[in-house]
Amino acid sequence: MATQTSKVEVEATGAPKRFVFVLLENFTLLSFASAVDSLRIANRMAGQTLYEWFITGDSDDEGMVSCSSGSRFKVDGPLSELNRDDVVLLCGGANVQSATTKKLLNWIRREARRGLRLGGLCTAAYTLARAGLLDGKRATIHWENHDSFTEEFDEVDLTKSVFVVDGNRMTTAGGTSSIDLMLKLIADDHGEKLANAVADQLIYSSIRTDQDTQRLSVPTRIGVRHPKLSQVIQMMEANIEEPISPSILAKEVGMSTRQLERLFRRYLNRSPKRYYMELRLQKARNLLMQTDMTVINVALACGFASPSHFSKCYRAHYNTTPYRERGAQAARLSV
């Protein structure tokens, strides 16, 4: 038997606040849907229209934009001049570099000059940074894009938070982090009670703040709860460009090199040297796929002294060369 959902009392408001969602080609559906549904549920729980939304984007001739899972969405209208009180949220996803068109950059720069509040969901922090709108500000982006973003935009204070609000700029890490940002905005506008009611409707039992980090802890990620092993892996991840020798890593955690070797063999079935190499090669692949850095510069950024050694290691791990990987990525983006 259906029951009537209890409404949350909020003070009467004037005109509803409007969010403008800008869909980038290959945007992540989850990030977009999480944000929109949070607003829809806020209206339902308040029993009044607190929020409205408008969907736009740099669409094709039919006014359509595709998400990364292949579904196509028709926008409500083209990129045009917005209202002064609108909140703009760019929705990014796969291949955000190619989706960040000149037309889109010119449009968001113009709206920023008019004083609008702008945010980037998932990978759309890249688009805001390309437009110069995150210079000197704190921001976040999906962890998979963290390395390439850091290499390209050193004037941005990039964090690993779930979401960041810095003045009139907002960024999220992707996935369900859109919910966390929207719950904060709803709480700021209409109070914690309404935000909590929205979270309950979403079956969202653990609301995160901008102090929460987006990735699982090292023990959870590797499935092993060993404090010294976690400490060594954290040091490896923080020192990719200038790798630390196993003997120094062992000394830092109060072990012998042999003990460290046994620890990695027991829990990860590989040597510390092998594990470290895989971390460096993963970062290298991210940089090759997501930036225009030369292969030589990618090698240096990942701790390889020579391109030939880098190429040999890369081929052994990924069964292709860095140059072919770069070429294959360019071919994918041109399709």
Side-chain angles (χ1 to χ4, degrees):
M1 179 177 174
T3 57
Q4 182 67 37
T5 301
S6 299
K7 296 291 187 290
V8 177
E9 293 292 330
V10 298
E11 291 186 16
T13 61
K17 177 180 285 187
R18 189 173 81 147
F19 282 78
V20 176
F21 291 95
V22 185
L23 304 184
L24 277 64
E25 191 65 24
N26 287 315
F27 71 95
T28 301
L29 183 56
L30 177 59
S31 292
F32 165 62
S34 296
V36 172
D37 235 29
S38 297
L39 299 177
R40 176 190 67 80
I41 293 171
N43 288 345
R44 176 176 173 238
M45 299 309 296
Q48 58 180 299
T49 304
L50 303 175
Y51 300 104
E52 295 178 342
W53 48 91
F54 180 83
I55 301 172
T56 185
D58 188 4
S59 56
D60 61 21
D61 293 338
E62 298 177 351
M64 306 292 288
V65 180
S66 297
C67 70
S68 56
S69 59
S71 299
R72 285 163 58 78
F73 291 78
K74 188 171 182 62
V75 300
D76 296 326
L79 297 172
S80 57
E81 187 171 310
L82 303 178
N83 303 322
R84 286 278 185 142
D85 295 329
D86 288 343
V87 179
V88 180
L89 291 179
L90 307 172
C91 303
N95 300 328
V96 67
Q97 294 89 343
S98 61
T100 302
T101 62
K102 194 171 187 179
K103 177 181 176 183
L104 179 61
L105 288 171
N106 289 337
W107 181 79
I108 62 175
R109 284 173 182 139
R110 185 187 71 199
E111 295 306 313
R113 285 195 295 270
R114 298 177 59 238
L116 270 71
R117 197 175 188 188
L118 290 133
L121 307 183
C122 195
T123 62
Y126 173 90
T127 307
L128 292 176
R130 272 288 304 277
L133 302 181
L134 293 179
D135 290 359
K137 291 189 175 291
R138 293 176 66 252
T140 191
I141 197 169
H142 191 280
W143 63 265
E144 198 171 39
N145 300 78
H146 198 276
D147 292 334
S148 58
F149 189 101
T150 302
E151 292 289 341
E152 191 165 350
F153 305 110
D154 57 6
E155 58 282 342
V156 181
D157 181 10
L158 192 65
T159 75
K160 295 183 179 180
S161 299
V162 173
F163 70 89
V164 172
V165 177
D166 190 343
N168 58 357
R169 299 288 178 265
M170 302 167 288
T171 47
T172 75
T176 57
S177 63
S178 293
I179 297 176
D180 300 293
L181 173 64
M182 303 313 288
L183 292 177
K184 172 179 169 46
L185 299 180
I186 291 167
D188 289 347
D189 290 341
H190 302 289
E192 295 282 351
K193 190 174 181 180
L194 179 60
N196 291 340
V198 172
D200 279 345
Q201 288 294 313
L202 289 166
I203 320 297
Y204 202 65
S205 57
S206 181
I207 302 174
R208 295 171 295 185
T209 73
D210 57 1
Q211 300 301 308
D212 290 300
T213 56
Q214 54 184 284
R215 294 200 71 183
L216 297 173
S217 66
V218 169
T220 304
R221 257 190 286 148
I222 64 176
V224 176
R225 295 197 174 276
H226 191 293
K228 290 191 176 182
L229 181 62
S230 298
Q231 191 178 344
V232 169
I233 290 174
Q234 286 173 340
M235 285 190 287
M236 288 178 171
E237 291 179 343
N239 293 275
I240 298 293
E241 189 169 349
E242 297 182 4
I244 304 172
S245 71
S247 61
I248 294 177
L249 289 169
K251 187 177 180 181
E252 286 290 326
V253 296
M255 303 176 76
S256 69
T257 305
R258 184 172 293 181
Q259 286 174 321
L260 185 65
E261 288 275 350
R262 284 202 296 264
L263 189 63
F264 268 78
R265 291 287 181 191
R266 177 182 177 186
Y267 290 109
L268 299 173
N269 197 32
R270 51 176 57 75
S271 68
K273 186 177 179 181
R274 180 71 245 169
Y275 189 89
Y276 209 165
M277 175 64 73
E278 290 173 1
L279 287 178
R280 291 160 59 199
L281 290 171
Q282 179 59 62
K283 176 175 179 176
R285 189 169 190 269
N286 285 342
L287 294 179
L288 288 169
M289 303 283 277
Q290 299 171 14
T291 74
D292 295 325
M293 292 172 65
T294 65
V295 172
I296 293 174
N297 284 338
V298 169
L300 293 173
C302 298
F304 294 93
S306 72
S308 59
H309 182 224
F310 171 50
S311 185
K312 179 182 178 182
C313 295
Y314 197 94
R315 183 167 192 160
H317 189 63
Y318 290 114
N319 201 30
T320 187
T321 68
Y323 294 94
R324 286 177 183 165
E325 189 84 271
R326 170 62 57 75
Q329 172 68 356
R332 283 191 291 271
L333 292 179
S334 66
V335 172

